[in-house]
Amino acid sequence: SLLGIIDGQGEVFEFLRQFGLAYLMFIAGMEIDFTMIGRITKSAGEAHVKKTSHPLFLASISFTLTLILSVVISHELANRGLVENEWMLALILSTTSLGVVLPVLKERQLSDTLFGQTVLMSALLADFVTMLLISLLATYLEGGINWEMLLVFFLFVVVAILYRTGTFIRRSGRIGKLIEELSSSGTAQIKLRTSLALLVSFIVLAEMLNSEMILGAFMAGIVVSLLSESEDSKLEKDLSEFGFSFFIPIFFILVGVGFDIGELTSSEEALWLVPILLVGAIIVKFIPVLTFRLTYSWKETFAAGSLLSA
């Protein structure tokens, strides 16, 4: 951007940026290990594992505290006239950069551990809930309270239908065998193609429902995760490599290209707001993550706070 090589404008760049973000959210949804969560829940029910160790428990407590702190900080900034919509800012502060959390966990080979799943669940819950609330808030700001706000929940209905259908097909001997044969073929790759088609379909469906595109992509990833079995590890590996080798890096590059330093430095108010927002964003993540100390060491708790503050 500084060298003037590209300006990041145009339909092609916009498509690559949007699809890169969507693919990142798709991978994030796919990374949720429902089998691990199920095992932990069963063990906790048998009292072999403390309930406070459950990733969903720690993630829920942490995110609730994050949301409360974000609302308090946003309200103060709104009272001082620094922001216009305190609720939108509160949701922005509450979210987490999955684009940083997920690759770091995968690179350090932590995504399959209990600690990694707890951090990932915290980031996913923050992103998922804030995406849902931002969708509802955006619809409300456009036309007030109306029935269209409920359309976003149709995505959950579609996920449930696809999960039931996929489970039925998987248990059907003849159809299941045919799918496995087509998947093992060097050219057919039916599972890989179906997953990508599912991603695009959910993006289109989310747009039709006036919802966030990344919410649809995330739900598509959840469907793939729910229907995946142990022998589908190669499918997940192929999907991850496809995204991280092309679309996702382009998304990050174009985010950098679109960062307007001149616009930022031209406003004295904006320059004051940057450190305030930065400190606020760190506070609303680090303080709630102290609840991780119920299960993990100070080192792991500090690491989780640092990563979720990204």
Side-chain angles (χ1 to χ4, degrees):
S1 179
L2 291 173
L3 295 174
I5 298 173
I6 57 173
D7 58 5
Q9 303 298 317
E11 292 183 1
V12 175
F13 285 119
E14 182 61 24
F15 167 78
L16 291 173
R17 177 165 44 235
Q18 294 291 338
F19 195 77
L21 176 59
Y23 206 102
L24 180 62
M25 296 306 300
F26 173 66
I27 296 295
M30 200 174 65
E31 281 293 324
I32 303 178
D33 192 342
F34 289 98
T35 58
M36 174 180 283
I37 294 172
R39 289 196 302 271
I40 296 169
T41 303
K42 183 179 179 181
S43 298
E46 296 171 352
H48 294 158
V49 178
K50 294 189 298 182
K51 286 183 171 60
T52 53
S53 302
H54 199 292
L56 192 56
F57 172 80
L58 288 174
S60 300
I61 295 296
S62 175
F63 176 69
T64 301
L65 293 174
T66 295
L67 200 57
I68 293 171
L69 287 173
S70 298
V71 170
V72 171
I73 292 175
S74 301
H75 183 68
E76 281 299 313
L77 292 176
N79 285 341
R80 298 175 187 276
L82 293 174
V83 296
E84 294 180 7
N85 192 318
E86 59 183 281
W87 297 109
M88 185 64 78
L89 179 62
L91 293 176
I92 291 172
L93 287 176
S94 300
T95 194
T96 300
S97 178
L98 265 174
V100 176
V101 174
L102 181 57
V104 170
L105 290 176
K106 289 179 72 67
E107 188 70 25
R108 304 299 295 180
Q109 298 180 342
L110 290 169
S111 58
D112 293 330
T113 65
L114 179 60
F115 174 70
Q117 282 291 304
T118 304
V119 176
L120 181 61
M121 184 64 68
S122 300
L124 288 170
L125 187 65
D127 259 21
F128 181 73
V129 174
T130 50
M131 277 189 293
L132 184 61
L133 292 176
I134 285 174
S135 295
L136 295 174
L137 181 59
T139 305
Y140 170 75
L141 292 176
E142 287 179 8
I145 299 177
N146 53 63
W147 65 272
E148 289 186 0
M149 297 178 67
L150 300 176
L151 289 177
V152 65
F153 295 103
F154 184 69
L155 286 170
F156 295 91
V157 177
V158 175
V159 168
I161 293 173
L162 288 174
Y163 174 65
R164 290 292 184 183
T165 304
T167 303
F168 172 77
I169 292 174
R170 192 170 58 193
R171 291 175 179 173
S172 176
R174 184 174 299 179
I175 301 177
K177 184 179 179 182
L178 176 62
I179 291 175
E180 290 301 324
E181 289 177 355
L182 290 172
S183 299
S184 60
S185 170
T187 55
Q189 297 295 331
I190 190 67
K191 288 186 178 180
L192 183 64
R193 294 184 181 186
T194 302
S195 299
L196 294 174
L198 194 68
L199 166 61
V200 176
S201 299
F202 265 88
I203 291 174
V204 173
L205 181 60
E207 292 287 346
M208 290 173 61
L209 297 176
N210 198 28
S211 179
E212 292 295 322
M213 169 268 298
I214 50 178
L215 180 61
F218 178 71
M219 300 294 274
I222 287 179
V223 173
V224 174
S225 178
L226 284 170
L227 295 177
S228 295
E229 296 180 317
S230 56
E231 60 267 22
D232 293 324
S233 58
K234 184 180 182 301
L235 168 68
E236 297 177 0
K237 184 172 180 289
D238 290 342
L239 287 168
S240 295
E241 289 179 349
F242 179 60
F244 282 111
S245 63
F246 185 67
F247 284 111
I248 296 173
I250 290 178
F251 160 68
F252 281 115
I253 290 169
L254 292 177
V255 167
V257 169
F259 184 63
D260 194 336
I261 299 177
E263 183 70 24
L264 179 66
T265 55
S266 64
S267 170
E268 185 177 340
E269 186 181 82
L271 289 175
W272 276 107
L273 196 56
V274 167
I276 293 173
L277 289 177
L278 181 61
V279 172
I282 294 173
I283 288 174
V284 301
K285 291 296 178 182
F286 255 101
I287 293 179
V289 167
L290 292 177
T291 54
F292 280 38
R293 188 65 185 87
L294 293 169
T295 301
Y296 303 105
S297 65
W298 279 113
K299 181 181 179 181
E300 290 171 318
T301 300
F302 183 79
S306 302
L307 192 54
L308 292 172
S309 298

